[in-house]
Amino acid sequence: MYDFNVIPQTLNQNPGALVTFDKHFGIPLLSQFHVNFGSSGVSAYDIFRDDGVDINIKIGNAINAMSHRDYFTLNQQLDIINGGWRKDETTYFSYGMYEEVDMISYFPKDVAVLLWEGNANHIGRSFSLNDVSFKAELLSVFHFGINKQINKKFTLGARAKIYSSIANVNSVNNSGTFTTRESTTGDNVYEHVFQALDGRVQTSGIAPLIGDENSDFSKDIKTLRKRILFGGNLGLGIDVGFTYQLKEQHIITGSLLDFGAIFHSKDVETYHLNGSYTTEGLELIFPPLLNAEGTTPYWQNLEDEFDENIKIDTLKNNYVTWRSSKVNLSYRYNFGKGNGQDCDCYAGQKPYQNALGLQLFSVFRPRRPQFAATAFYYRRLFDFLKLKATYTVDAFSLRNFGLGASLHIGRFNMYLMGNNLFELQNISKAQSVSLQFGINLIFDSND
Amino acid sequence: MKRFKKVVFGLICLMLIFLNSCVSDVDFDQTENILPTPVFESSLMYSNLEAPNFIDEATQQEVIILTDTTRLEYINSDFFVDQLIKTNLNFQFANSLDRHFSIDFEFVNDADELRYLAEIEVPPGQPNAPSVVVSNFLIEEPELSVFEEATKLIFKITLPPSTNPIDTNTLGRLELDSKVTFYFEL
């Protein structure tokens, strides 16, 4: 999608993209649907392959094969409104509103091993809470962008965004360990050590929905509807981007997207786990003078001690979440002018039929940025049909081939793009899938 | 027109790729068979008893029976009753007292009805040569369901009649370490 300038939604990826039309209006709810799923460590095929092997063995293998650096991501966007118009020869405004789901969870390896296998085969091993790291957000975004052609070679753009977070949950920067090891005091067989636990789950917009025991579902829907329209936790963000023509056929572009934050203050609830505790079990001391029952509340004492030392607090603190900012960079080389009569109105000349290029994409994630590099070939087959073939290398796959097509019939534009085409033959093998499509009306004064 | 036909052909191929995208060679019904079987080990209880523990303060004579009791709240919890498929109790005694002990671990319910009994004989030892007894009790169905009704554990030490009773100066100690292994099917 990035740098596919004939599609208006390219402006969402780079507000400083070249705009080759005078006005566009996306068909409401249909102008862009985008979904991207990725799993760096495992595919559905690895687990559900019909090979006669017990699924529990396959799950166990997958848990062991993955590391805490593996992750699962889901990003989905749906344009509700998208449009734009040219103010003058060098200025193009665009606006819109879209809904977005953004989720990432690192694979909580230690917790998974502990729950799947138990501690019996891992005496002496420290299970780390640090492996738990995830964030998920459902939000709506209102945006307005300005695209300004500074001179023949240089175009700049910026887009202001207001985020309205409908629901958020996140848990990052957790620490602490749980260890079962042979007793160091010799009092019992094992000691169980909860060492400096410090874990936090922040939520906003979720507590009131689950708190009312879902007695009135329609009320929940009303609440959600309100939040879509500025009623949620609000945030601000910005996109910036540029296009620069180095030489006639050489073009570089870049953009920084979703540099911004959301300020959570409504319906917030944070759960904070913290403390340290070591136990070797119950010590029975056989008190010399027994009362009638002969009982010391050993169990109660253990529970009380545990509760005093390991606390789970529910807090109502406000908090801030940063959006997952994205960076795009591209270089493209245009070549081969056709014989057609049409013109590339930006350059005031016949458009190039082909382009070859490279794109780099990076998104900031809780632990470390996630990268993708894409080589592409763009072909203007006809005035009404433009194709883009891509080859992408990222954490999910080294052989990810994609294809995009943009169809232009009169003012009607329809596009469809997919990634990982080879895996689409058996989607369960794919560790990432990306799909987007949309329908627009595009107006050009030359029409 | 020749080129146009090529394009149409290409588009149809593209459509076919997308339409053909499918899921094959996989069986999602396997989900029903997912059964995590974690095994957890936990320290249970421990004690360190020396000669004075076995002397009745009033009579200054050796006691016949010594008991202590603790609640074990989790055994009859819903989670254990539903998910536990077997459990192993492991008791490790080291006895450096020159005295024989008969040990009963009585798992009882709130009405003090016996639900499970583990009996262990601990032979006499010497201060520098303790007698070591390691006993395992694997509890599976049908015993397990009854065991899971227990809410309390009574640790009962019986001192059989002896010509050589313990007095306050007797050297040595009776040590207990214990652990429990839980086999779950979640």
Side-chain angles (χ1 to χ4, degrees):
Chain A
M1 173 68 130
Y2 185 77
D3 205 20
F4 202 161
N5 292 341
V6 292
I7 303 172
Q9 279 73 21
T10 298
L11 284 168
N12 291 349
Q13 302 298 315
N14 181 1
L18 285 186
V19 180
T20 55
F21 40 83
D22 288 333
K23 191 176 178 184
H24 79 271
F25 190 71
I27 307 296
L29 296 171
L30 290 176
S31 58
Q32 183 185 214
F33 175 78
H34 160 93
V35 62
N36 182 321
F37 170 77
S39 158
S40 71
V42 68
S43 71
Y45 186 76
D46 294 337
I47 304 292
F48 293 103
R49 186 170 47 215
D50 194 7
D51 56 0
V53 177
D54 182 355
I55 187 167
N56 295 297
I57 291 173
K58 288 183 280 191
I59 292 174
N61 290 344
I63 288 173
N64 282 314
M66 281 192 280
S67 86
H68 68 281
R69 281 182 290 274
D70 283 308
Y71 52 85
F72 306 91
T73 62
L74 173 69
N75 185 271
Q76 175 271 323
Q77 287 181 18
L78 175 69
D79 253 352
I80 294 167
I81 300 169
N82 189 296
W85 76 97
R86 183 171 293 285
K87 179 178 169 272
D88 55 45
E89 219 168 89
T90 62
T91 313
Y92 192 85
F93 291 133
S94 59
Y95 60 89
M97 170 193 175
Y98 62 88
E99 164 274 338
E100 179 174 355
V101 172
D102 192 38
M103 288 161 116
I104 178 162
S105 175
Y106 287 91
F107 177 61
K109 169 129 183 170
D110 278 8
V111 176
V113 170
L114 185 59
L115 292 180
W116 187 260
E117 297 180 15
N119 65 350
N121 284 326
H122 299 282
I123 301 302
R125 172 171 172 176
S126 291
F127 291 95
S128 174
L129 195 60
N130 183 248
D131 281 7
V132 176
S133 181
F134 61 87
K135 58 182 201 172
E137 185 129 48
L138 169 62
L139 72 163
S140 55
V141 183
F142 302 82
H143 58 88
F144 185 83
I146 300 172
N147 180 284
K148 181 82 183 166
Q149 194 182 324
I150 307 292
N151 56 42
K152 279 246 163 201
K153 291 187 161 184
F154 193 41
T155 303
L156 266 181
R159 177 177 310 283
K161 288 179 163 176
I162 297 173
Y163 304 116
S164 177
S165 170
I166 299 161
N168 171 271
V169 54
N170 75 80
S171 182
V172 295
N173 300 327
N174 298 308
S175 62
T177 57
F178 168 68
T179 313
T180 301
R181 63 184 182 211
E182 282 175 19
S183 168
T184 50
T185 62
D187 281 341
N188 205 346
V189 185
Y190 296 134
E191 58 187 16
H192 305 282
V193 185
F194 298 86
Q195 180 65 42
L197 295 182
D198 186 3
R200 216 177 278 267
V201 179
Q202 296 177 313
T203 70
S204 84
I206 291 172
L209 295 184
I210 54 178
D212 61 5
E213 292 165 358
N214 284 329
S215 54
D216 191 353
F217 190 61
S218 60
K219 209 169 124 193
D220 289 346
I221 296 287
K222 258 182 218 158
T223 311
L224 288 177
R225 208 184 296 151
K226 219 182 293 164
R227 289 188 198 154
I228 292 171
L229 297 166
F230 298 110
N233 284 295
L234 298 181
L236 287 174
I238 189 168
D239 298 350
V240 290
F242 72 93
T243 300
Y244 184 67
Q245 194 171 6
L246 289 170
K247 290 180 188 163
E248 179 172 336
Q249 289 166 275
H250 302 266
I251 291 168
I252 56 169
T253 74
S255 69
L256 168 67
L257 306 177
D258 282 321
F259 181 70
I262 296 172
F263 307 94
H264 300 270
S265 59
K266 283 185 238 175
D267 302 328
V268 289
E269 203 148 271
T270 294
Y271 311 99
H272 183 205
L273 164 76
N274 71 104
S276 296
Y277 186 61
T278 300
T279 177
E280 296 186 59
L282 306 161
E283 182 182 13
L284 269 56
I285 54 171
F286 292 84
L289 277 177
L290 303 180
N291 56 34
E293 289 295 312
T295 52
T296 311
Y298 297 111
W299 182 263
Q300 192 60 45
N301 292 349
L302 179 73
E303 279 190 344
D304 289 350
E305 246 182 74
F306 187 86
D307 291 344
E308 264 169 46
N309 288 287
I310 305 281
K311 292 200 185 314
I312 298 180
D313 302 318
T314 301
L315 311 167
K316 301 274 183 192
N317 293 353
N318 296 349
Y319 65 94
V320 176
T321 52
W322 287 89
R323 301 284 346 259
S324 297
S325 300
K326 297 149 209 89
V327 173
N328 287 291
L329 290 171
S330 81
Y331 161 77
R332 80 149 63 203
Y333 170 65
N334 293 325
F335 61 99
K337 291 194 185 187
N339 303 316
Q341 296 298 311
D342 60 326
C343 81
D344 183 339
C345 298
Y346 164 69
Q349 58 195 353
K350 282 183 217 163
Y352 288 98
Q353 300 294 309
N354 308 281
L356 271 176
L358 271 178
Q359 285 164 213
L360 292 175
F361 169 77
S362 175
V363 52
F364 291 92
R365 293 303 195 181
R367 290 234 175 99
R368 56 182 65 79
Q370 175 188 335
F371 291 99
T374 300
F376 69 86
Y377 172 63
Y378 167 84
R379 173 74 184 174
R380 188 186 177 100
L381 259 190
F382 287 109
D383 291 340
F384 67 86
L385 181 66
K386 286 102 177 175
L387 297 176
K388 185 174 177 177
T390 62
Y391 169 70
T392 300
V393 173
D394 58 22
F396 306 117
S397 157
L398 298 177
R399 50 182 203 112
N400 180 344
F401 291 89
L403 200 57
S406 181
L407 193 65
H408 302 256
I409 297 171
R411 287 170 176 172
F412 184 78
N413 161 239
M414 190 175 133
Y415 64 92
L416 172 66
M417 260 164 262
N419 250 349
N420 238 335
L421 295 184
F422 288 169
E423 306 290 10
L424 282 183
Q425 289 294 330
N426 186 354
I427 212 165
S428 67
K429 282 186 186 174
Q431 285 183 235
S432 76
V433 176
S434 174
L435 198 67
Q436 53 192 332
F437 63 86
I439 303 172
N440 294 295
L441 295 174
I442 299 178
F443 305 90
D444 196 331
S445 54
N446 295 306
D447 283 351
Chain B
M1 273 319 278
K2 208 174 168 189
R3 201 170 151 205
F4 184 75
K5 276 183 189 163
K6 268 190 197 166
V7 170
V8 171
F9 177 72
L11 273 182
I12 290 170
C13 286
L14 183 65
M15 290 299 284
L16 281 177
I17 289 176
F18 280 107
L19 288 176
N20 253 333
S21 77
C22 68
V23 172
S24 54
D25 309 326
V26 295
D27 175 12
F28 288 105
D29 290 342
Q30 292 179 81
T31 315
E32 291 167 16
N33 303 328
I34 295 178
L35 189 68
T37 52
V39 181
F40 285 93
E41 288 209 339
S42 166
S43 274
L44 184 56
M45 58 183 192
Y46 62 99
S47 65
N48 270 313
L49 301 178
E50 295 179 335
N53 291 101
F54 299 98
I55 305 297
D56 187 315
E57 279 195 351
T59 64
Q60 288 300 305
Q61 298 291 308
E62 188 187 75
V63 295
I64 300 166
I65 291 175
L66 196 61
T67 68
D68 202 357
T69 303
T70 177
R71 290 192 71 79
L72 293 176
E73 298 284 0
Y74 52 87
I75 294 178
N76 72 339
S77 68
D78 287 348
F79 180 78
F80 273 67
V81 169
D82 294 344
Q83 319 287 353
L84 190 69
I85 53 158
K86 62 177 177 178
T87 185
N88 185 72
L89 307 172
N90 173 282
F91 298 102
Q92 306 177 10
F93 282 97
N95 180 18
S96 52
L97 286 160
D98 186 14
R99 187 73 171 89
H100 181 101
F101 298 103
S102 297
I103 310 291
D104 290 334
F105 291 105
E106 298 173 357
F107 292 82
V108 301
N109 64 14
D110 281 336
D112 287 328
E113 293 161 337
L114 188 65
R115 301 288 90 181
Y116 187 81
L117 174 66
E119 293 174 295
I120 302 168
E121 295 299 323
V122 181
Q126 294 300 323
N128 49 7
S131 75
V132 173
V133 177
V134 177
S135 305
N136 284 291
F137 298 87
L138 184 64
I139 308 171
E140 293 177 275
E141 292 297 359
E143 284 175 297
L144 184 67
S145 298
V146 184
F147 171 76
E148 284 169 339
E149 290 168 20
T151 54
K152 289 190 283 190
L153 170 55
I154 302 169
F155 179 8
K156 185 194 274 181
I157 305 171
T158 307
L159 290 74
S162 166
T163 52
N164 184 22
I166 294 171
D167 62 44
T168 43
N169 299 319
T170 307
L171 291 178
R173 49 163 57 178
L174 176 66
E175 276 182 61
L176 165 69
D177 290 359
S178 66
K179 65 173 181 176
V180 55
T181 310
F182 299 113
Y183 299 85
F184 291 106
E185 274 185 1
L186 303 182

